[in-house]
């Protein structure tokens, strides 16, 4: 990579040699770019494991009755799949990988506000992951509660709950530390001239996300702690035998876990808001509306948790309130969709892989969002609650939303991160296979849910067989697509052609530095005079 | 970095006055409890606790002298908690 | 990393304080979760909570409140003292804060051990015979005051660490953000107690 050295006398962050050598130069590095990649690699490994668990579950469901695993194994598989995917991948996902790597670059800073805390939060992440996953290997069998740890089952089950719950508790600290770091970074370290309303939209999304991380995570922390205390010390919190109310557990759990959905989706929206203007070669339509809707989602999203509990026996008043609020929170999301589409209007679009990911995101996110409206309606919810419909909706939003944005971001910023370009042909083929597989997998599940197939069962009656075969076939196709995509990216990190500093003609600050960025990002802190997407 | 902060020094006397006010409110709330005002006991005790925490936040924790951002955020956090408790009680009050 | 350290070493006092405040918000929400649980169960079991609260000693509770309020004042004063460049007074005030914290913990120890010797602790046979509301009350009592006590211990460790920095002159009149932050943390502990006190001791 000699040419980057010529552009910039300082070594790039990948080649830099500090006090430590080899792997220690990475796991003890306080460089936000290296930490971002540490998260990326850890998540890629965990994601592969959890995706394979998902595939195995779909293979189990290819035919009624026992196919490849028994009921208890299936229970532990969907629990582990959920814990890993939610707590270890999609919640930290975009902020920890791309927030870490690009937030300082996009606001013109040399690093985050607290680099050591940043490294610490990666270590806490690894510790939490190790503790949570250790539940699989010792004790009385892997947890089988599902990722929600609902009381009272979570302290009645004989399986090894404590490590899983403790692990999730520890991961909360990592999430809080990252959020805190980003808020302070955005407040204190924006480049001179970058007023709030001149900040690109991905940092804005990270800002909203960080506030949710900071203000919602402690609730789940204390809730999980109560489960631990209840299991170990018999302190009565949620056990009806001790006077507790299990529905209160659900309240507390969703007070965090619903905002957590916005922790997942807000940065995804931020990524899309970056990709679309770059490839449309046009200023984003309604910058202010997107900013305001980001903050509105973060705020209103805090008060809709009850829509996960419509059949739990809540009071009627609570039901109506949560249903109305759920419909309200859809408005700012829809505003963003309109803004993205309006940006594409009369634009001279350069169709590249990241842009195709963004388009696919729009498609699946709309399906996910609109099916969410179906679930937000009280009467429909009673019918669809705990069916495959919910699973399909959830995966369209979380995998379709966050997952697509994650891969979109990876393809968008890849040349910047590694200084090399992936094979665009293979990337597009991978996307096509993945997208086809994704829809073949999850669309039939909407139908299955509507005709009454419950979720979280390893078995089903013969009537559900046909759509399940299609769905399981889709799962295999989707995994093949993922293999193509990831292989292409991994291969290109070494063998891809050298990328220039600004391969997509992006206008935000990260494209003004060399690819890969030099150790300190900016030799001189830039002075910002223009708005972020200035293509005029 | 710029050094715009840390110019304000709070006098010792201010802190003493605040402490006296805090102690006074503590003893008042203990006294009120022994009066047995029925349902108003709790509201009185919580009201006094609210005043006490306001004093601690404004003077001891310097919210009054610091940038407004901190005060706004602290108020928002309490407002958020209040809203969450309110919405939770929409379930329990009408069940 | 050694020759990489110049990145880390930008000093931003306001940023450090912002970070501390955000951390304090997370702590408030953490206890907020417990307050939600408390208020729901109190609403569902008013009589039992009333009965159980009479078991608690208002005198010890009041004494501990006074102790914490004074300690909050001393740590706040120590910040003024360092600004007046009075190192000795700063150290004295911080020392007094720690002593008061220890007094608080001693009180707490006697209070808890008294309860435990009466057979009132989570899972105890005596408590299991009591009504469900009382089980919930004492569960919350131990959890909330216990978590609060844990914060006292962390606060003492934090203040002791900052005292060492003051002794070594690493915290001075123009560089005392960490002292301010330890003070903020200590006030948080006080703030939570201000609400715990009426909710557990004054509901008679």
């Amino acid at each position: 990579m000699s040419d980057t050295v010529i552009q910039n006398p300082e070594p790039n962050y990948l080649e830099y040699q500090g006090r430590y050598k080899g792997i220690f130069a990475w796991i003890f590095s306080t460089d936000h770019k290296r930490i971002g990649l540490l998260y990326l690699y850890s998540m890629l490994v965990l994601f592969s494991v959890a995706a394979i668990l998902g595939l195995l579950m779909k293979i189990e469901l290819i035919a009624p009755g026992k196919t490849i695993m028994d009921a208890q194994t299936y229970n532990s598989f969907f629990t582990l799949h959920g814990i890993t995917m939610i707590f270890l991948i999609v919640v930290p996902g975009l902020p920890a990988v791309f927030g870490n790597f690009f937030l300082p670059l996009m606001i013109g800073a040399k690093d985050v506000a607290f680099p050591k805390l940043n490294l610490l939060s990666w270590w806490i992440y690894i510790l939490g992951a190790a503790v949570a996953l250790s539940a699989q290997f010792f004790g009385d069998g892997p947890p089988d509660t599902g990722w929600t740890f609902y009381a009272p089952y979570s302290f009645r089950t004989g399986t090894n709950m404590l490590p899983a719950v403790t692990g999730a508790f520890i991961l909360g600290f990592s999430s809080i530390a990252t959020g805190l770091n980003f808020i302070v970074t955005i407040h204190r370290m924006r480049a001179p001239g970058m007023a709030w309303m001149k900040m690109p939209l991905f940092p804005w999304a990270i800002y909203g996300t960080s506030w949710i991380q900071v203000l919602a995570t402690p609730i789940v922390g204390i809730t999980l702690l109560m489960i631990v205390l209840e299991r170990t010390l018999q302190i009565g919190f949620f056990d009806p035998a001790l006077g507790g109310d299990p529905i209160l557990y659900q309240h507390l759990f969703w007070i965090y876990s619903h905002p957590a959905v916005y922790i997942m989706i807000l940065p995804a929206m931020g990524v899309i808001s970056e990709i679309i203007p770059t490839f449309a070669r046009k200023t984003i339509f309604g910058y202010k509306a997107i900013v305001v809707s980001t903050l509105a989602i973060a705020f209103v999203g805090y008060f809709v948790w009850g829509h996960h509990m419509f059949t739990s026996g809540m009071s009627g008043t609570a039901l109506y309130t949560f249903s109305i609020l759920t419909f309200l929170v859809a408005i700012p999301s829809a505003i963003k969709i309109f803004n993205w589409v309006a940006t594409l209007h009369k634009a001279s679009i350069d169709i590249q892989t990241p842009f195709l990911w963004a388009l696919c995101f729009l498609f699946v996110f709309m399906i996910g969002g609109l099916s969410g409206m179906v679930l937000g309606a009280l009467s429909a919810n009673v019918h669809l609650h705990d069916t495959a419909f919910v699973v399909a909706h959830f995966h369209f939003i979380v995998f379709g939303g966050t997952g697509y944005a994650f891969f979109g971001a990876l393809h968008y910023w890849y040349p910047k991160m590694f200084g090399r370009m992936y094979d665009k042909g293979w990337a597009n083929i991978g996307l096509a296979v993945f997208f086809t597989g994704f829809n073949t997998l999850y669309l039939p599940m909407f139908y299955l849910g509507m005709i009454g197939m419950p979720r979280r069962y390893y078995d089903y009656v013969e009537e559900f067989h046909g759509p399940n075969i299609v769905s399981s076939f889709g799962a295999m196709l989707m995994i093949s697509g993922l293999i193509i995509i990831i292989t292409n990216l991994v291969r290109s990190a070494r063998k891809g052609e050298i990328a220039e500093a600004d391969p997509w003609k992006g206008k935000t600050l990260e494209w003004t530095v060399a690819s890969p960025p030099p150790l300190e990002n900016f030799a001189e802190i830039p002075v910002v005079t223009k708005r972020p997407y200035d293509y005029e | 970095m710029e050094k715009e902060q840390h110019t304000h020094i709070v006098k010792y006397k201010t802190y003493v006055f605040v402490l006296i006010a805090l102690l006074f409110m503590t003893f008042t709330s203990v006294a009120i409890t022994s009066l047995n005002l029925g349902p108003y006991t709790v509201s009185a005790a919580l009201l006094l606790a609210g005043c006490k925490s306001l004093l601690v936040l404004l003077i001891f924790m310097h919210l009054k002298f610091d940038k407004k951002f901190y005060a706004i955020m602290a108020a928002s956090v309490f407002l958020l908690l209040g809203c969450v408790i309110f919405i939770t009680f929409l379930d329990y009050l009408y069940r | 990393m050694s020759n990489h350290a110049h990145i880390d070493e930008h000093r931003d006092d306001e940023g450090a304080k912002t970070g501390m405040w955000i951390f304090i918000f997370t702590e408030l929400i953490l206890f907020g979760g417990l307050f939600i649980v408390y208020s729901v169960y109190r609403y569902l079991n008013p009589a039992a909570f009333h009965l159980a609260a009479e078991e608690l000693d208002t005198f010890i509770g009041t004494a501990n409140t006074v102790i914490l309020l004074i300690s909050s004042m001393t740590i706040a004063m120590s910040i003024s003292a360092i600004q007046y460049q009075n190192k000795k007074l700063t150290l004295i005030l911080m020392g007094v804060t720690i002593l008061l914290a220890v007094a608080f913990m001693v009180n707490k120890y006697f209070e808890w051990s008294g309860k435990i010797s009466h057979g009132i602790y989570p899972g105890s046979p005596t408590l299991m015979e009591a009504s469900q509301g009382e089980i919930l009350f004492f569960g919350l009592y131990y959890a909330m005051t216990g978590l609060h006590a844990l914060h006292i211990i962390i606060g003492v460790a934090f203040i002791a660490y900052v005292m060492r920095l003051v002794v070594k002159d690493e915290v001075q009149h123009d560089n005392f953000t960490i002292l301010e932050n330890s003070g903020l943390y200590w006030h948080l502990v006080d703030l939570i107690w201000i609400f715990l006190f009426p909710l557990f001791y004054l509901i008679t």
Side-chain angles (χ1 to χ4, degrees):
Chain A
M1 287 185 213
S2 50
D3 57 327
T4 50
V5 177
I6 295 164
Q7 283 176 25
N8 198 315
E10 213 184 330
N12 76 51
Y13 82 103
L14 289 169
E15 289 173 337
Y16 169 76
Q17 279 292 335
R19 181 152 35 120
Y20 303 102
K21 297 267 179 296
I23 190 171
F24 296 106
W26 285 79
I27 62 175
F28 293 134
S29 170
T30 53
D31 181 354
H32 68 101
K33 300 181 283 301
R34 287 197 173 188
I35 293 172
L37 288 193
L38 284 178
Y39 274 113
L40 177 65
Y41 299 145
S42 338
M43 279 176 200
L44 222 49
V45 172
L46 290 162
F47 176 77
S48 311
V49 174
I52 287 167
L53 287 175
L55 178 66
L56 290 174
M57 282 191 285
K58 287 316 287 187
I59 293 175
E60 166 58 36
L61 289 177
I62 204 163
K66 183 180 166 184
T67 314
I68 54 165
M69 63 181 92
D70 57 27
Q72 187 60 20
T73 313
Y74 188 82
N75 292 346
S76 63
F77 271 29
F78 72 66
T79 305
L80 183 61
H81 174 82
I83 294 175
T84 315
M85 284 295 194
I86 297 287
F87 291 112
L88 293 169
I89 295 158
V90 283
V91 167
L94 282 160
V97 177
F98 297 104
N100 256 322
F101 201 108
F102 287 103
L103 173 66
L105 282 166
M106 290 176 94
I107 63 172
K110 293 195 171 189
D111 206 317
V112 292
F114 308 112
K116 285 175 192 155
L117 182 70
N118 202 15
L119 178 63
L120 181 68
S121 65
W122 181 74
W123 276 102
I124 299 175
Y125 171 81
I126 291 298
L127 176 72
V131 172
L133 298 181
S134 72
Q136 305 298 316
F137 304 112
F138 67 90
D140 310 313
D144 58 349
T145 56
W147 71 278
T148 50
F149 309 124
Y150 266 14
Y153 187 61
S154 54
F155 44 81
R156 296 272 174 77
T157 173
T159 54
N160 202 8
M161 286 309 301
L162 274 185
V165 175
T166 315
F169 175 71
I170 295 171
L171 287 168
F173 286 100
S174 167
S175 194
I176 290 173
T178 306
L180 188 155
N181 219 336
F182 288 169
I183 296 174
V184 178
T185 307
I186 292 173
H187 269 274
R188 302 293 302 166
M189 297 173 77
R190 276 171 291 133
M194 185 179 277
W196 283 95
M197 284 297 163
K198 281 184 186 162
M199 193 160 72
L201 288 163
F202 182 65
W204 259 117
I206 290 289
Y207 185 68
T209 310
S210 300
W211 272 115
I212 314 178
Q213 280 179 305
V214 163
L215 295 182
T217 315
I219 295 273
V220 82
I222 195 70
T223 312
L224 296 176
L225 198 62
M226 281 190 260
I227 288 283
V228 171
L229 291 175
E230 185 138 17
R231 244 185 114 91
T232 51
L233 300 174
Q234 287 181 286
I235 298 182
F237 287 119
F238 306 116
D239 189 347
L242 298 172
D245 179 14
I247 296 177
L248 185 60
Y249 173 82
Q250 297 189 17
H251 274 299
L252 289 170
F253 183 81
W254 290 113
I255 288 174
Y256 163 73
S257 296
H258 194 77
V261 176
Y262 297 102
I263 296 179
M264 304 168 195
I265 203 67
L266 276 182
M269 292 167 159
V271 167
I272 301 302
S273 308
E274 293 297 330
I275 293 178
I276 283 186
T278 300
F279 293 94
R281 302 277 185 273
K282 219 177 128 193
T283 310
I284 190 119
F285 180 85
Y287 171 89
K288 272 187 192 156
I290 294 187
V291 170
V292 172
S293 64
T294 299
L295 299 178
I297 289 176
F299 180 72
V300 184
Y302 212 102
F303 305 115
V304 298
W305 74 83
H307 66 221
H308 297 265
M309 306 160 55
F310 280 162
T311 58
S312 70
M314 274 194 307
S315 78
T317 317
L319 292 177
Y320 307 139
T321 315
F322 282 126
S323 187
I324 289 170
L325 288 171
T326 303
F327 280 96
L328 282 181
V329 82
I331 296 172
S333 307
I335 290 176
K336 284 178 193 262
I337 298 267
F338 294 139
N339 280 313
W340 293 325
V341 175
T343 308
L344 297 178
H345 182 61
K346 287 190 176 171
S348 43
I349 298 169
D350 181 19
I351 296 178
Q352 299 277 3
T353 315
F355 182 75
L356 293 172
W357 276 100
L359 279 190
C360 291
F361 169 93
L362 287 184
F363 178 78
V364 290
F365 184 70
M366 295 259 286
I367 294 179
L370 293 172
S371 62
M373 292 295 88
V374 177
L375 288 168
L378 288 171
S379 49
N381 185 281
V382 172
H383 179 65
L384 295 171
H385 195 88
D386 255 342
T387 66
F389 189 96
V390 177
V391 181
H393 157 69
F394 180 79
H395 282 85
F396 261 97
I397 284 287
V398 171
F399 196 9
T402 314
Y404 278 60
F406 192 93
F407 283 109
L410 201 52
H411 285 90
Y412 178 55
W413 280 315
Y414 187 93
K416 182 58 64 187
M417 295 166 91
F418 297 99
R420 285 174 187 264
M421 185 58 87
Y422 46 84
D423 185 323
K424 290 177 185 170
W426 276 111
N428 292 345
I429 293 169
L431 170 60
V433 176
F434 172 79
F435 182 69
T436 316
F438 180 90
N439 287 298
T440 321
L441 163 56
Y442 294 114
L443 282 176
M445 291 179 79
F446 281 123
Y447 173 67
L448 282 168
M450 278 191 282
I451 59 173
M453 180 170 155
R455 65 175 181 159
R456 293 184 169 176
Y457 282 75
Y458 86 123
D459 191 8
Y460 51 83
V461 291
E462 188 54 42
E463 283 88 333
F464 303 141
H465 197 176
N468 265 307
I469 298 177
V470 179
S471 176
S472 297
F473 172 72
M476 293 174 214
L477 199 60
M478 189 182 82
I479 296 288
S480 325
L482 277 177
I483 292 172
I484 299 173
I485 292 163
I486 293 173
T487 314
N488 181 29
L489 291 178
V490 171
R491 214 184 129 270
S492 307
R494 289 175 172 280
K495 301 199 174 143
E497 48 181 291
I498 302 289
E500 40 188 314
D502 187 4
W504 313 124
K505 312 275 179 293
K507 292 283 184 184
T508 36
L509 283 177
E510 80 270 29
W511 302 112
T512 61
V513 299
S515 300
L519 180 66
E520 297 217 339
N521 299 350
F522 301 95
E524 222 173 286
I525 295 291
V527 176
V528 180
T529 50
K530 292 177 178 171
R531 295 188 169 279
Y533 312 102
D534 190 40
Y535 284 95
E536 307 311 321
Chain B
M1 294 310 289
E2 65 254 76
K3 309 209 75 194
E4 76 273 32
Q5 68 270 16
H6 297 327
T7 43
H8 191 275
I9 307 183
V10 185
K11 295 192 181 69
Y12 298 127
K13 215 164 58 180
T14 318
Y15 287 133
V16 176
F17 285 142
V18 171
L19 179 70
I20 291 169
L22 288 171
L23 291 178
F24 175 74
M25 282 191 270
T26 307
F27 293 124
T28 314
S29 59
V30 175
I32 285 180
T33 319
S34 55
L35 281 179
N36 192 10
L37 294 174
Y40 299 107
T41 321
V42 184
S43 0
L46 283 181
L47 193 70
L48 281 168
C51 296
K52 279 160 76 179
S53 57
L54 205 61
L55 268 184
V56 170
L57 282 163
L58 286 177
I59 313 291
F60 282 177
M61 297 174 95
H62 293 187
L63 279 186
K64 195 178 159 209
F65 319 111
D66 270 335
K67 285 187 178 173
K68 285 285 158 285
F69 164 74
Y70 299 111
I72 293 168
M73 279 319 300
S76 316
V77 167
F78 281 101
L79 188 72
L80 184 74
L81 260 179
C83 290
V84 168
I85 292 179
F86 172 74
I87 294 180
T88 310
F89 267 85
L90 285 181
D91 177 11
Y92 286 93
L93 285 175
Y94 299 101
R95 209 185 260 178
Chain C
M1 286 180 195
S2 52
N3 44 357
H4 177 165
H6 53 286
I7 295 183
D8 303 359
E9 282 178 6
H10 86 279
R11 184 182 139 199
D12 180 5
D13 292 343
E14 194 67 32
K17 196 154 84 180
T18 311
M20 191 65 203
W21 266 107
I22 294 170
F23 178 69
I24 282 174
F25 296 152
T26 70
E27 291 275 25
L28 285 173
I29 304 258
L30 185 85
F31 276 92
L34 282 167
F35 280 114
I36 294 172
V37 176
Y38 173 91
S39 50
V40 166
Y41 288 151
R42 191 183 136 75
Y43 171 75
L44 294 176
N45 312 280
F49 267 54
H50 184 90
L51 199 67
E54 294 196 331
E55 295 275 331
L56 297 183
D57 188 340
T58 313
F59 179 75
I60 293 193
T62 315
N64 265 350
T65 310
V66 172
I67 288 174
L68 269 194
L69 289 175
I70 298 174
S71 74
S72 235
M73 182 195 70
T74 51
I75 195 80
M77 280 180 167
S78 75
I79 294 163
S80 298
I82 198 110
Q83 281 171 299
Y84 288 128
Q85 306 189 33
N86 190 340
K87 182 177 164 185
K88 200 174 143 202
L89 184 62
T90 308
L91 286 172
I92 291 173
L93 286 164
M94 293 177 85
V96 171
T97 309
I98 291 181
L99 282 180
L100 287 167
V102 172
F104 180 94
M105 290 303 284
V106 170
N107 259 344
K108 190 98 268 174
Y109 169 77
F110 282 116
E111 194 187 3
W112 272 36
S113 55
K115 287 276 157 309
I116 291 169
S117 68
H118 281 92
I120 300 175
Y121 55 90
S124 76
T126 326
L127 200 55
M128 285 302 154
E129 283 168 18
S131 73
Q132 293 187 327
E134 284 169 275
I135 300 177
L136 289 173
F137 180 89
F138 282 107
L140 282 166
Y141 164 75
Y142 277 106
M144 292 175 91
T145 56
L147 191 62
H148 180 258
L150 185 70
H151 280 77
I152 297 250
I153 294 168
I154 296 169
V156 166
F158 192 0
I159 294 173
Y161 168 73
V162 179
M163 264 180 98
R164 227 180 67 119
L165 296 182
V166 177
V167 171
K168 288 197 290 184
D169 281 333
E170 280 172 33
V171 168
Q172 279 183 325
H173 67 98
D174 56 352
N175 180 17
F176 59 92
T177 309
I178 190 160
L179 174 59
E180 263 191 310
N181 284 349
S182 70
L184 282 176
Y185 189 83
W186 193 251
H187 297 309
L188 164 81
V189 173
D190 190 24
L191 208 57
I192 290 161
W193 185 258
I194 284 177
F195 285 98
L196 286 183
F197 171 62
L199 289 180
F200 281 105
Y201 296 86
L202 293 186
I203 304 170
T204 45

